[in-house]
Amino acid sequence: MKLKINNLHAQIEDNEILKGLNLEIGPGEVHAIMGPNGSGKSTLASVLAGNDAFEVTEGSVDFDGKDLLEMDADVRAKEGLFLAFQYPVEIPGVSNINFLRAAISEIREYHGQDAVSAKDFLAMVKEKSALVELDGKLANRSVNEGFSGGEKKRNEIFQMAMLDPKLAVLDETDSGLDIDALRIVANGVNAMKDGKRSFIVITHYQRLLDYIVPDFVHVLHNGKIIKTGDKTLALELEEKGYDWLKEEVV
Amino acid sequence: MEKIIDIQSDKKEKFLAPFDNQQFPVLGAMSTLRRSEARAALDSIPLPHSRQETWKYTRTGKLINAVWNISHKANEVAIDDMKISGLDCYHLVFVNGHYSPTLSDNLTLETGLEVCPMSQCDGDKAAFADRLIQKNENSNAHLFNHFNSAYWTDGLLIKVDANTEIGKPIHIIHKTVGTNSASVFRHVLVAEKSSKVKVIQSFSNGGGSTYNNVLTEAWVAENAQVTIDKIQAENAEGITIAREDVRQESNSTFHINTITASGGFVRNDLAIVVDGENCMTNLYAAYAPQGKELVDNHTVVDHKKAHCESNEAYKGIVYDQATGVFNGKVFVRQDAQKTNAFQQNANILMSDSATMNSKPELEIYADDVKCSHGSTTGQFDEEAVFYLKARGISDKNARQMLVQAFVGDVLDELDDEVRAHVGSLLRF
């Protein structure tokens, strides 16, 4: 998997949020994106996943040789991009399992593969829900309905494990999690590292990066990446905050 | 002003003329009297117009201004697609307003169940039906309900004996074909004490424009349980006026599911009088008009006695330039203490040109009751669509999944076979 973001500009309702963002991600790499509130972190995640609410005005995103921005959101998922939502949506009446089954069927069909059997599917559900210690009962409930904050986030990672993406974008998956839930989520992510799958981990806090160790740490400010370093940069940010960087840029 | 009235009554005369010169089944002296009384009511009631509360959003011009043919004969009519696959039930079929013996099951169905086409009722049966029709004079009947009383040509008398549970659902199939073809049905359903029965009514049409007017009177005696599934699936040329008049005695249960999958113009009036203690009343509906279709549901639940519960959930998905109307009224009379009455109307508008008019009403005269009503009309939850798409589900499938989930709790009320049948009719 290779992702190349070049000079990406995006806006929502005439309000430009991404202002020329550049980022390259290679196979098996874990990139952390940090930055203060309003810097554009979640916008980046939404734009990559294909949320129509955001308009890309300039720039390009190359995803394994294909133009990502030309694809509809579902096609991006079919091509192997996964977004773990910061705020997973509750969908009453749609069962977690049925919707995942439908998603996997569509993805397999897209790749010309046979449908997965009910038996294999259920075995997979069992295995992957164990990975994030998600109660089997939750898998049968309506999507995220009545889930606690931690359960929602674990459900995101469970879905990621089920869909087996090439690139996973985790949008503030750690927010609102206590330390136990954080550990469970991180273990789930780490179990999916295979040297090929890549991750973009968006977070406010260095805490998560103790568990999911990044290869690169980027600081996003005012719609651009203003600094890139290794995991020690996250520690430095934790200690000093973002202001010194902002001043450096100015 | 006088001139306007002239034009209106002229219009009405033209609308009624084809129906006036028909032969109608005669049950007994009272039915003849009732027909003439209803005919007189038609003279005195003005045509519906938008200044009347009950017709505010529903234009009846297409119905009034057409010249209807009430005696359209149909020979070979296909009704197999109206049958519910996998469901073991009795079939009774009406074509163009008349009972079809060749398409129906033998009328001797099972012990304790009497089924007779109204056009064939004689002797005791005729007197029995006559008495019930006469008894059920309803004050809030509108013009087209009186129309039904004046001009019905056929229907079913269904009588379930006391302490009898009918093993299979009774499926009444209404098919109207031809151009400007009208069918007028009167059904009488009597569930005697501690009996149980389920009736499925389905409606479909073919050919040119059609007009179905169906009125069902249901008598739910003490401790009886009656379920009606009403499946409306007419084309854009179909006009339907349907009414259920229901009277419940103590400890009885009445449950109706109204599924309006399609139909150019559909007006449903549901009037339930709960006249006994400890009754349960359930009204569920799903409707999904498309194109320029209109679905208008008017319901009245009248709680007269104490310790009763009613649940009402009407859910609509309105597409294109279609219109939905909901007017649900719940009365809780002074003696109806400890009533639990819940009413919900929820709608999704699928386009900027779709219209929904919703009016929930509660009138409470008792002081120790639990009642709630709510109405929501909104657009599609685009965040939910995006969430599903982000998992690899196409836009079309994501929307279909969400629509099905939205009406899911209504469809859950149906038996599996009926649900599957309805699923194939709904055009999500």
PDB file of all heavy atoms in Angstrom, chain A residues 50-51 72 74 77-78 82-83 91-92 94 99 102-103 106 144 156 159, chain B residues 381 383-384 386-395 397 401-402 405-406:
ATOM      1  N   GLY A  50     -13.923  10.093   1.933  1.00  0.00           N
ATOM      2  CA  GLY A  50     -14.880  10.437   0.884  1.00  0.00           C
ATOM      3  C   GLY A  50     -16.176  11.026   1.390  1.00  0.00           C
ATOM      4  O   GLY A  50     -17.225  10.850   0.761  1.00  0.00           O
ATOM      5  N   ASN A  51     -16.120  11.752   2.489  1.00  0.00           N
ATOM      6  CA  ASN A  51     -17.325  12.408   2.993  1.00  0.00           C
ATOM      7  C   ASN A  51     -17.665  13.618   2.115  1.00  0.00           C
ATOM      8  O   ASN A  51     -16.889  14.561   1.993  1.00  0.00           O
ATOM      9  CB  ASN A  51     -17.083  12.855   4.448  1.00  0.00           C
ATOM     10  CG  ASN A  51     -18.354  13.367   5.098  1.00  0.00           C
ATOM     11  OD1 ASN A  51     -19.307  13.733   4.408  1.00  0.00           O
ATOM     12  ND2 ASN A  51     -18.371  13.376   6.416  1.00  0.00           N
ATOM     13  N   ASP A  72     -16.040   7.134  -5.167  1.00  0.00           N
ATOM     14  CA  ASP A  72     -17.105   7.312  -4.194  1.00  0.00           C
ATOM     15  C   ASP A  72     -16.651   6.648  -2.878  1.00  0.00           C
ATOM     16  O   ASP A  72     -15.762   5.790  -2.883  1.00  0.00           O
ATOM     17  CB  ASP A  72     -18.378   6.637  -4.716  1.00  0.00           C
ATOM     18  CG  ASP A  72     -19.639   7.299  -4.164  1.00  0.00           C
ATOM     19  OD1 ASP A  72     -19.504   8.230  -3.354  1.00  0.00           O
ATOM     20  OD2 ASP A  72     -20.739   6.865  -4.529  1.00  0.00           O
ATOM     21  N   ASP A  74     -17.833   4.396  -0.942  1.00  0.00           N
ATOM     22  CA  ASP A  74     -17.884   2.937  -0.845  1.00  0.00           C
ATOM     23  C   ASP A  74     -16.786   2.285  -1.680  1.00  0.00           C
ATOM     24  O   ASP A  74     -16.266   1.230  -1.315  1.00  0.00           O
ATOM     25  CB  ASP A  74     -19.273   2.410  -1.236  1.00  0.00           C
ATOM     26  CG  ASP A  74     -19.621   2.687  -2.679  1.00  0.00           C
ATOM     27  OD1 ASP A  74     -19.679   3.869  -3.049  1.00  0.00           O
ATOM     28  OD2 ASP A  74     -19.831   1.722  -3.434  1.00  0.00           O
ATOM     29  N   ALA A  77     -13.612   2.254   0.241  1.00  0.00           N
ATOM     30  CA  ALA A  77     -13.612   1.150   1.202  1.00  0.00           C
ATOM     31  C   ALA A  77     -13.336  -0.167   0.488  1.00  0.00           C
ATOM     32  O   ALA A  77     -12.589  -1.015   0.986  1.00  0.00           O
ATOM     33  CB  ALA A  77     -14.951   1.097   1.934  1.00  0.00           C
ATOM     34  N   LYS A  78     -13.932  -0.318  -0.679  1.00  0.00           N
ATOM     35  CA  LYS A  78     -13.729  -1.553  -1.449  1.00  0.00           C
ATOM     36  C   LYS A  78     -12.274  -1.683  -1.888  1.00  0.00           C
ATOM     37  O   LYS A  78     -11.741  -2.789  -2.008  1.00  0.00           O
ATOM     38  CB  LYS A  78     -14.652  -1.570  -2.666  1.00  0.00           C
ATOM     39  CG  LYS A  78     -16.097  -1.891  -2.293  1.00  0.00           C
ATOM     40  CD  LYS A  78     -17.076  -1.550  -3.410  1.00  0.00           C
ATOM     41  CE  LYS A  78     -18.492  -1.928  -2.986  1.00  0.00           C
ATOM     42  NZ  LYS A  78     -19.520  -1.039  -3.522  1.00  0.00           N
ATOM     43  N   PHE A  82      -9.983   2.206   5.207  1.00  0.00           N
ATOM     44  CA  PHE A  82     -10.935   2.106   6.321  1.00  0.00           C
ATOM     45  C   PHE A  82     -10.811   3.323   7.219  1.00  0.00           C
ATOM     46  O   PHE A  82      -9.708   3.754   7.555  1.00  0.00           O
ATOM     47  CB  PHE A  82     -10.652   0.844   7.149  1.00  0.00           C
ATOM     48  CG  PHE A  82     -11.610   0.667   8.299  1.00  0.00           C
ATOM     49  CD1 PHE A  82     -12.795  -0.027   8.120  1.00  0.00           C
ATOM     50  CD2 PHE A  82     -11.341   1.219   9.552  1.00  0.00           C
ATOM     51  CE1 PHE A  82     -13.694  -0.183   9.161  1.00  0.00           C
ATOM     52  CE2 PHE A  82     -12.238   1.074  10.604  1.00  0.00           C
ATOM     53  CZ  PHE A  82     -13.410   0.374  10.406  1.00  0.00           C
ATOM     54  N   LEU A  83     -11.959   3.865   7.618  1.00  0.00           N
ATOM     55  CA  LEU A  83     -11.966   4.968   8.577  1.00  0.00           C
ATOM     56  C   LEU A  83     -12.652   4.508   9.856  1.00  0.00           C
ATOM     57  O   LEU A  83     -13.815   4.101   9.831  1.00  0.00           O
ATOM     58  CB  LEU A  83     -12.724   6.179   8.001  1.00  0.00           C
ATOM     59  CG  LEU A  83     -13.030   7.313   8.991  1.00  0.00           C
ATOM     60  CD1 LEU A  83     -11.755   7.975   9.494  1.00  0.00           C
ATOM     61  CD2 LEU A  83     -13.950   8.366   8.354  1.00  0.00           C
ATOM     62  N   ILE A  91     -27.202   3.539  14.313  1.00  0.00           N
ATOM     63  CA  ILE A  91     -28.162   3.276  13.242  1.00  0.00           C
ATOM     64  C   ILE A  91     -29.202   2.275  13.737  1.00  0.00           C
ATOM     65  O   ILE A  91     -29.037   1.069  13.600  1.00  0.00           O
ATOM     66  CB  ILE A  91     -27.462   2.753  11.968  1.00  0.00           C
ATOM     67  CG1 ILE A  91     -26.271   3.654  11.617  1.00  0.00           C
ATOM     68  CG2 ILE A  91     -28.453   2.695  10.819  1.00  0.00           C
ATOM     69  CD1 ILE A  91     -25.508   3.232  10.394  1.00  0.00           C
ATOM     70  N   PRO A  92     -30.289   2.772  14.316  1.00  0.00           N
ATOM     71  CA  PRO A  92     -31.318   1.874  14.838  1.00  0.00           C
ATOM     72  C   PRO A  92     -31.911   1.016  13.728  1.00  0.00           C
ATOM     73  O   PRO A  92     -32.131   1.504  12.618  1.00  0.00           O
ATOM     74  CB  PRO A  92     -32.389   2.826  15.396  1.00  0.00           C
ATOM     75  CG  PRO A  92     -31.766   4.173  15.427  1.00  0.00           C
ATOM     76  CD  PRO A  92     -30.637   4.186  14.457  1.00  0.00           C
ATOM     77  N   VAL A  94     -30.636  -1.419  12.043  1.00  0.00           N
ATOM     78  CA  VAL A  94     -29.687  -2.122  11.164  1.00  0.00           C
ATOM     79  C   VAL A  94     -28.752  -2.919  12.060  1.00  0.00           C
ATOM     80  O   VAL A  94     -28.021  -2.344  12.859  1.00  0.00           O
ATOM     81  CB  VAL A  94     -28.868  -1.136  10.304  1.00  0.00           C
ATOM     82  CG1 VAL A  94     -27.797  -1.858   9.510  1.00  0.00           C
ATOM     83  CG2 VAL A  94     -29.780  -0.351   9.376  1.00  0.00           C
ATOM     84  N   PHE A  99     -25.166  -5.763   8.569  1.00  0.00           N
ATOM     85  CA  PHE A  99     -24.561  -4.706   7.766  1.00  0.00           C
ATOM     86  C   PHE A  99     -23.113  -5.053   7.403  1.00  0.00           C
ATOM     87  O   PHE A  99     -22.676  -4.832   6.286  1.00  0.00           O
ATOM     88  CB  PHE A  99     -24.737  -3.358   8.489  1.00  0.00           C
ATOM     89  CG  PHE A  99     -23.495  -2.612   8.832  1.00  0.00           C
ATOM     90  CD1 PHE A  99     -22.856  -1.828   7.888  1.00  0.00           C
ATOM     91  CD2 PHE A  99     -22.960  -2.682  10.104  1.00  0.00           C
ATOM     92  CE1 PHE A  99     -21.712  -1.122   8.209  1.00  0.00           C
ATOM     93  CE2 PHE A  99     -21.825  -1.975  10.423  1.00  0.00           C
ATOM     94  CZ  PHE A  99     -21.186  -1.195   9.479  1.00  0.00           C
ATOM     95  N   ALA A 102     -23.286  -7.544   4.637  1.00  0.00           N
ATOM     96  CA  ALA A 102     -23.584  -6.869   3.366  1.00  0.00           C
ATOM     97  C   ALA A 102     -22.332  -6.182   2.827  1.00  0.00           C
ATOM     98  O   ALA A 102     -22.030  -6.257   1.636  1.00  0.00           O
ATOM     99  CB  ALA A 102     -24.710  -5.855   3.562  1.00  0.00           C
ATOM    100  N   ALA A 103     -21.595  -5.535   3.734  1.00  0.00           N
ATOM    101  CA  ALA A 103     -20.381  -4.830   3.321  1.00  0.00           C
ATOM    102  C   ALA A 103     -19.359  -5.811   2.748  1.00  0.00           C
ATOM    103  O   ALA A 103     -18.803  -5.595   1.666  1.00  0.00           O
ATOM    104  CB  ALA A 103     -19.797  -4.066   4.513  1.00  0.00           C
ATOM    105  N   GLU A 106     -20.373  -7.091  -0.641  1.00  0.00           N
ATOM    106  CA  GLU A 106     -20.142  -6.108  -1.714  1.00  0.00           C
ATOM    107  C   GLU A 106     -18.662  -5.988  -2.064  1.00  0.00           C
ATOM    108  O   GLU A 106     -18.293  -5.878  -3.223  1.00  0.00           O
ATOM    109  CB  GLU A 106     -20.683  -4.723  -1.298  1.00  0.00           C
ATOM    110  CG  GLU A 106     -22.135  -4.516  -1.679  1.00  0.00           C
ATOM    111  CD  GLU A 106     -22.501  -3.039  -1.783  1.00  0.00           C
ATOM    112  OE1 GLU A 106     -21.753  -2.257  -2.394  1.00  0.00           O
ATOM    113  OE2 GLU A 106     -23.561  -2.668  -1.224  1.00  0.00           O
ATOM    114  N   ASN A 144     -24.172   0.283  16.824  1.00  0.00           N
ATOM    115  CA  ASN A 144     -23.800   1.289  17.839  1.00  0.00           C
ATOM    116  C   ASN A 144     -24.931   1.746  18.755  1.00  0.00           C
ATOM    117  O   ASN A 144     -24.719   2.588  19.628  1.00  0.00           O
ATOM    118  CB  ASN A 144     -23.177   2.536  17.177  1.00  0.00           C
ATOM    119  CG  ASN A 144     -21.857   2.211  16.519  1.00  0.00           C
ATOM    120  OD1 ASN A 144     -21.070   1.432  17.069  1.00  0.00           O
ATOM    121  ND2 ASN A 144     -21.600   2.772  15.362  1.00  0.00           N
ATOM    122  N   GLU A 156     -15.619  -0.165  16.211  1.00  0.00           N
ATOM    123  CA  GLU A 156     -14.913   0.336  15.035  1.00  0.00           C
ATOM    124  C   GLU A 156     -13.731  -0.573  14.690  1.00  0.00           C
ATOM    125  O   GLU A 156     -13.519  -0.913  13.530  1.00  0.00           O
ATOM    126  CB  GLU A 156     -14.410   1.770  15.263  1.00  0.00           C
ATOM    127  CG  GLU A 156     -15.515   2.814  15.418  1.00  0.00           C
ATOM    128  CD  GLU A 156     -16.301   3.020  14.137  1.00  0.00           C
ATOM    129  OE1 GLU A 156     -15.758   3.571  13.171  1.00  0.00           O
ATOM    130  OE2 GLU A 156     -17.470   2.600  14.108  1.00  0.00           O
ATOM    131  N   GLN A 159     -14.861  -3.849  13.324  1.00  0.00           N
ATOM    132  CA  GLN A 159     -15.220  -3.734  11.904  1.00  0.00           C
ATOM    133  C   GLN A 159     -13.974  -3.671  11.032  1.00  0.00           C
ATOM    134  O   GLN A 159     -13.926  -4.261   9.951  1.00  0.00           O
ATOM    135  CB  GLN A 159     -16.072  -2.480  11.678  1.00  0.00           C
ATOM    136  CG  GLN A 159     -17.462  -2.577  12.296  1.00  0.00           C
ATOM    137  CD  GLN A 159     -18.247  -1.286  12.108  1.00  0.00           C
ATOM    138  OE1 GLN A 159     -18.073  -0.575  11.133  1.00  0.00           O
ATOM    139  NE2 GLN A 159     -19.119  -0.993  13.053  1.00  0.00           N
TER     140      GLN A 159
ATOM    141  N   ASP B 381     -30.839  10.579   7.114  1.00  0.00           N
ATOM    142  CA  ASP B 381     -29.672  10.795   7.948  1.00  0.00           C
ATOM    143  C   ASP B 381     -28.416  10.537   7.104  1.00  0.00           C
ATOM    144  O   ASP B 381     -27.973   9.407   6.945  1.00  0.00           O
ATOM    145  CB  ASP B 381     -29.726   9.840   9.145  1.00  0.00           C
ATOM    146  CG  ASP B 381     -28.550  10.026  10.081  1.00  0.00           C
ATOM    147  OD1 ASP B 381     -27.661  10.849   9.762  1.00  0.00           O
ATOM    148  OD2 ASP B 381     -28.516   9.350  11.115  1.00  0.00           O
ATOM    149  N   GLU B 383     -25.410  11.238   7.626  1.00  0.00           N
ATOM    150  CA  GLU B 383     -24.268  10.708   8.387  1.00  0.00           C
ATOM    151  C   GLU B 383     -24.302   9.191   8.437  1.00  0.00           C
ATOM    152  O   GLU B 383     -23.276   8.528   8.347  1.00  0.00           O
ATOM    153  CB  GLU B 383     -24.303  11.248   9.821  1.00  0.00           C
ATOM    154  CG  GLU B 383     -23.634  12.586   9.977  1.00  0.00           C
ATOM    155  CD  GLU B 383     -23.550  12.990  11.447  1.00  0.00           C
ATOM    156  OE1 GLU B 383     -23.363  12.105  12.300  1.00  0.00           O
ATOM    157  OE2 GLU B 383     -23.703  14.181  11.718  1.00  0.00           O
ATOM    158  N   ALA B 384     -25.518   8.658   8.580  1.00  0.00           N
ATOM    159  CA  ALA B 384     -25.659   7.201   8.603  1.00  0.00           C
ATOM    160  C   ALA B 384     -25.345   6.614   7.233  1.00  0.00           C
ATOM    161  O   ALA B 384     -24.710   5.563   7.129  1.00  0.00           O
ATOM    162  CB  ALA B 384     -27.062   6.812   9.049  1.00  0.00           C
ATOM    163  N   PHE B 386     -23.280   7.858   5.071  1.00  0.00           N
ATOM    164  CA  PHE B 386     -21.822   7.905   4.906  1.00  0.00           C
ATOM    165  C   PHE B 386     -21.137   6.800   5.713  1.00  0.00           C
ATOM    166  O   PHE B 386     -20.194   6.162   5.242  1.00  0.00           O
ATOM    167  CB  PHE B 386     -21.279   9.282   5.314  1.00  0.00           C
ATOM    168  CG  PHE B 386     -19.775   9.360   5.246  1.00  0.00           C
ATOM    169  CD1 PHE B 386     -19.116   9.178   4.039  1.00  0.00           C
ATOM    170  CD2 PHE B 386     -19.023   9.595   6.389  1.00  0.00           C
ATOM    171  CE1 PHE B 386     -17.725   9.231   3.967  1.00  0.00           C
ATOM    172  CE2 PHE B 386     -17.637   9.645   6.328  1.00  0.00           C
ATOM    173  CZ  PHE B 386     -16.990   9.471   5.118  1.00  0.00           C
ATOM    174  N   TYR B 387     -21.648   6.568   6.894  1.00  0.00           N
ATOM    175  CA  TYR B 387     -21.066   5.514   7.742  1.00  0.00           C
ATOM    176  C   TYR B 387     -21.124   4.163   7.027  1.00  0.00           C
ATOM    177  O   TYR B 387     -20.134   3.434   6.976  1.00  0.00           O
ATOM    178  CB  TYR B 387     -21.827   5.442   9.063  1.00  0.00           C
ATOM    179  CG  TYR B 387     -21.191   4.558  10.111  1.00  0.00           C
ATOM    180  CD1 TYR B 387     -20.163   5.029  10.916  1.00  0.00           C
ATOM    181  CD2 TYR B 387     -21.616   3.257  10.294  1.00  0.00           C
ATOM    182  CE1 TYR B 387     -19.582   4.222  11.881  1.00  0.00           C
ATOM    183  CE2 TYR B 387     -21.041   2.429  11.250  1.00  0.00           C
ATOM    184  CZ  TYR B 387     -20.022   2.925  12.052  1.00  0.00           C
ATOM    185  OH  TYR B 387     -19.444   2.115  12.996  1.00  0.00           O
ATOM    186  N   LEU B 388     -22.283   3.858   6.451  1.00  0.00           N
ATOM    187  CA  LEU B 388     -22.432   2.573   5.755  1.00  0.00           C
ATOM    188  C   LEU B 388     -21.560   2.527   4.501  1.00  0.00           C
ATOM    189  O   LEU B 388     -20.938   1.512   4.198  1.00  0.00           O
ATOM    190  CB  LEU B 388     -23.901   2.338   5.391  1.00  0.00           C
ATOM    191  CG  LEU B 388     -24.865   2.185   6.571  1.00  0.00           C
ATOM    192  CD1 LEU B 388     -26.301   2.039   6.086  1.00  0.00           C
ATOM    193  CD2 LEU B 388     -24.499   0.979   7.432  1.00  0.00           C
ATOM    194  N   LYS B 389     -21.512   3.653   3.790  1.00  0.00           N
ATOM    195  CA  LYS B 389     -20.687   3.696   2.577  1.00  0.00           C
ATOM    196  C   LYS B 389     -19.213   3.533   2.910  1.00  0.00           C
ATOM    197  O   LYS B 389     -18.468   2.892   2.170  1.00  0.00           O
ATOM    198  CB  LYS B 389     -20.914   5.013   1.825  1.00  0.00           C
ATOM    199  CG  LYS B 389     -22.233   5.042   1.082  1.00  0.00           C
ATOM    200  CD  LYS B 389     -22.526   6.413   0.513  1.00  0.00           C
ATOM    201  CE  LYS B 389     -21.658   6.704  -0.696  1.00  0.00           C
ATOM    202  NZ  LYS B 389     -22.057   8.011  -1.305  1.00  0.00           N
ATOM    203  N   ALA B 390     -18.818   4.112   4.023  1.00  0.00           N
ATOM    204  CA  ALA B 390     -17.412   4.023   4.432  1.00  0.00           C
ATOM    205  C   ALA B 390     -17.024   2.585   4.777  1.00  0.00           C
ATOM    206  O   ALA B 390     -15.853   2.279   4.956  1.00  0.00           O
ATOM    207  CB  ALA B 390     -17.140   4.948   5.618  1.00  0.00           C
ATOM    208  N   ARG B 391     -18.009   1.708   4.882  1.00  0.00           N
ATOM    209  CA  ARG B 391     -17.717   0.295   5.112  1.00  0.00           C
ATOM    210  C   ARG B 391     -17.781  -0.520   3.830  1.00  0.00           C
ATOM    211  O   ARG B 391     -17.722  -1.746   3.859  1.00  0.00           O
ATOM    212  CB  ARG B 391     -18.711  -0.282   6.143  1.00  0.00           C
ATOM    213  CG  ARG B 391     -18.627   0.382   7.508  1.00  0.00           C
ATOM    214  CD  ARG B 391     -17.263   0.200   8.146  1.00  0.00           C
ATOM    215  NE  ARG B 391     -17.130   0.901   9.402  1.00  0.00           N
ATOM    216  CZ  ARG B 391     -16.373   1.979   9.598  1.00  0.00           C
ATOM    217  NH1 ARG B 391     -15.669   2.483   8.587  1.00  0.00           N
ATOM    218  NH2 ARG B 391     -16.299   2.545  10.768  1.00  0.00           N
ATOM    219  N   GLY B 392     -18.030   0.178   2.705  1.00  0.00           N
ATOM    220  CA  GLY B 392     -18.007  -0.511   1.414  1.00  0.00           C
ATOM    221  C   GLY B 392     -19.377  -0.791   0.831  1.00  0.00           C
ATOM    222  O   GLY B 392     -19.500  -1.498  -0.165  1.00  0.00           O
ATOM    223  N   ILE B 393     -20.414  -0.239   1.442  1.00  0.00           N
ATOM    224  CA  ILE B 393     -21.774  -0.474   0.934  1.00  0.00           C
ATOM    225  C   ILE B 393     -22.153   0.659  -0.017  1.00  0.00           C
ATOM    226  O   ILE B 393     -21.964   1.832   0.310  1.00  0.00           O
ATOM    227  CB  ILE B 393     -22.764  -0.575   2.117  1.00  0.00           C
ATOM    228  CG1 ILE B 393     -22.418  -1.818   2.954  1.00  0.00           C
ATOM    229  CG2 ILE B 393     -24.206  -0.643   1.631  1.00  0.00           C
ATOM    230  CD1 ILE B 393     -23.166  -1.929   4.258  1.00  0.00           C
ATOM    231  N   SER B 394     -22.660   0.304  -1.175  1.00  0.00           N
ATOM    232  CA  SER B 394     -22.956   1.321  -2.189  1.00  0.00           C
ATOM    233  C   SER B 394     -24.051   2.267  -1.691  1.00  0.00           C
ATOM    234  O   SER B 394     -24.823   1.917  -0.798  1.00  0.00           O
ATOM    235  CB  SER B 394     -23.406   0.661  -3.489  1.00  0.00           C
ATOM    236  OG  SER B 394     -24.675   0.064  -3.299  1.00  0.00           O
ATOM    237  N   ASP B 395     -24.094   3.418  -2.310  1.00  0.00           N
ATOM    238  CA  ASP B 395     -25.060   4.442  -1.905  1.00  0.00           C
ATOM    239  C   ASP B 395     -26.481   3.890  -1.945  1.00  0.00           C
ATOM    240  O   ASP B 395     -27.257   4.050  -1.002  1.00  0.00           O
ATOM    241  CB  ASP B 395     -24.931   5.636  -2.872  1.00  0.00           C
ATOM    242  CG  ASP B 395     -25.664   6.859  -2.361  1.00  0.00           C
ATOM    243  OD1 ASP B 395     -25.098   7.580  -1.526  1.00  0.00           O
ATOM    244  OD2 ASP B 395     -26.816   7.074  -2.783  1.00  0.00           O
ATOM    245  N   ASN B 397     -27.561   0.741  -1.885  1.00  0.00           N
ATOM    246  CA  ASN B 397     -27.820  -0.285  -0.867  1.00  0.00           C
ATOM    247  C   ASN B 397     -27.870   0.296   0.538  1.00  0.00           C
ATOM    248  O   ASN B 397     -28.640  -0.158   1.382  1.00  0.00           O
ATOM    249  CB  ASN B 397     -26.757  -1.387  -0.933  1.00  0.00           C
ATOM    250  CG  ASN B 397     -26.924  -2.250  -2.173  1.00  0.00           C
ATOM    251  OD1 ASN B 397     -27.950  -2.171  -2.849  1.00  0.00           O
ATOM    252  ND2 ASN B 397     -25.923  -3.051  -2.480  1.00  0.00           N
ATOM    253  N   MET B 401     -31.013  -0.020   2.950  1.00  0.00           N
ATOM    254  CA  MET B 401     -30.850  -0.635   4.271  1.00  0.00           C
ATOM    255  C   MET B 401     -31.452   0.258   5.360  1.00  0.00           C
ATOM    256  O   MET B 401     -32.134  -0.207   6.271  1.00  0.00           O
ATOM    257  CB  MET B 401     -29.343  -0.801   4.511  1.00  0.00           C
ATOM    258  CG  MET B 401     -28.943  -1.874   5.471  1.00  0.00           C
ATOM    259  SD  MET B 401     -27.130  -1.974   5.526  1.00  0.00           S
ATOM    260  CE  MET B 401     -26.859  -3.300   4.392  1.00  0.00           C
ATOM    261  N   LEU B 402     -31.231   1.553   5.224  1.00  0.00           N
ATOM    262  CA  LEU B 402     -31.721   2.497   6.236  1.00  0.00           C
ATOM    263  C   LEU B 402     -33.240   2.652   6.176  1.00  0.00           C
ATOM    264  O   LEU B 402     -33.896   2.766   7.206  1.00  0.00           O
ATOM    265  CB  LEU B 402     -31.042   3.856   6.061  1.00  0.00           C
ATOM    266  CG  LEU B 402     -29.545   3.847   6.402  1.00  0.00           C
ATOM    267  CD1 LEU B 402     -28.885   5.148   5.964  1.00  0.00           C
ATOM    268  CD2 LEU B 402     -29.328   3.621   7.882  1.00  0.00           C
ATOM    269  N   ALA B 405     -34.708  -0.346   7.722  1.00  0.00           N
ATOM    270  CA  ALA B 405     -34.568  -0.283   9.179  1.00  0.00           C
ATOM    271  C   ALA B 405     -35.612   0.653   9.766  1.00  0.00           C
ATOM    272  O   ALA B 405     -36.187   0.391  10.817  1.00  0.00           O
ATOM    273  CB  ALA B 405     -33.165   0.192   9.544  1.00  0.00           C
ATOM    274  N   PHE B 406     -35.880   1.733   9.040  1.00  0.00           N
ATOM    275  CA  PHE B 406     -36.825   2.743   9.522  1.00  0.00           C
ATOM    276  C   PHE B 406     -38.228   2.166   9.680  1.00  0.00           C
ATOM    277  O   PHE B 406     -38.907   2.410  10.676  1.00  0.00           O
ATOM    278  CB  PHE B 406     -36.826   3.926   8.543  1.00  0.00           C
ATOM    279  CG  PHE B 406     -37.793   5.013   8.897  1.00  0.00           C
ATOM    280  CD1 PHE B 406     -37.569   5.830   9.991  1.00  0.00           C
ATOM    281  CD2 PHE B 406     -38.926   5.237   8.136  1.00  0.00           C
ATOM    282  CE1 PHE B 406     -38.454   6.839  10.321  1.00  0.00           C
ATOM    283  CE2 PHE B 406     -39.816   6.233   8.448  1.00  0.00           C
ATOM    284  CZ  PHE B 406     -39.582   7.039   9.549  1.00  0.00           C
TER     285      PHE B 406
END
